[in-house]
Amino acid sequence: MYPTPQQEHVMLDHCAHARYVWNLAVEQHSHWRRGKRTAPGFAEQCRQLTMAGERSISLARM
């Protein structure tokens, strides 16, 4: 794969956004402790990501 400079920029941006979302999910699960309600599951995290995308231009572009 030999991306153009513009394609490389887009791919790096996409990876940065994916890493940001991944780190948010990891952070949510790291706050979970026994005896507390469960950490958000897949559907709840999708709902939260949709809400965040509505409020954030950079997340909405993902």
Side-chain angles (χ1 to χ4, degrees), residues 4-17:
T4 66
Q6 182 181 8
Q7 290 170 325
E8 182 178 1
H9 175 75
V10 170
M11 288 190 304
L12 290 172
D13 253 6
H14 177 76
C15 290
H17 292 138

Side-chain angles (χ1 to χ4, degrees), residues 3-57:
T4 66
Q6 182 181 8
Q7 290 170 325
E8 182 178 1
H9 175 75
V10 170
M11 288 190 304
L12 290 172
D13 253 6
H14 177 76
C15 290
H17 292 138
R19 183 174 49 248
Y20 176 78
V21 171
W22 175 265
N23 287 339
L24 285 176
V26 169
E27 181 181 358
Q28 282 183 328
H29 283 268
S30 73
H31 288 284
W32 180 82
R33 300 285 182 263
R34 287 191 194 275
K36 292 178 87 175
R37 53 183 209 136
T38 62
F42 177 77
E44 176 62 16
Q45 285 182 326
C46 286
R47 187 186 68 74
Q48 291 174 2
L49 181 57
T50 299
M51 289 177 58
E54 292 169 353
R55 295 185 204 129
S56 168
I57 293 170

